[in-house]
Amino acid sequence: MWFFVDLLWWRLSYEVGSRVLALVSFGKMQAGPCDSFGYNWLGYKRDLMGRLKIESTLVSGVGLITCFVALAVILYFIP
């Protein structure tokens, strides 16, 4: 059961993070594929078009933070 919860949680946070990065950076940053390698020690690399690709773990972290902030805002406004 924990496998499915973990898979759903990381997949959801990856999708949210990839959308947030693309929206905030106006398409200059993209989420890298989940099984890729070749990133520097900060988790970034450039593609042939000059866009910045970010490692999937960092993208999931951005998505988790975004989900927690959204949840906090929603819970704040519920009486």
Side-chain angles (χ1 to χ4, degrees):
M1 171 152 169
W2 286 110
F3 173 75
F4 295 114
V5 172
D6 191 40
L7 181 68
L8 177 68
W9 187 255
W10 281 107
R11 186 66 183 168
L12 177 69
S13 65
Y14 177 79
E15 289 296 326
V16 169
S18 65
R19 304 285 189 246
V20 167
L21 283 175
L23 183 69
V24 169
S25 70
F26 300 108
K28 295 188 190 266
M29 283 192 231
Q30 287 184 336
C34 292
D35 59 350
S36 65
F37 57 92
Y39 295 96
N40 63 7
W41 64 279
L42 290 174
Y44 302 103
K45 72 177 177 180
R46 294 229 179 240
D47 64 357
L48 296 175
M49 300 296 291
R51 289 180 294 222
L52 198 62
K53 291 212 176 230
I54 301 176
E55 188 179 19
S56 61
T57 307
L58 295 174
V59 173
S60 295
V62 170
L64 281 175
I65 290 171
T66 305
C67 288
F68 284 139
V69 168
L71 180 65
V73 168
I74 289 170
L75 290 177
Y76 179 76
F77 287 111
I78 291 177

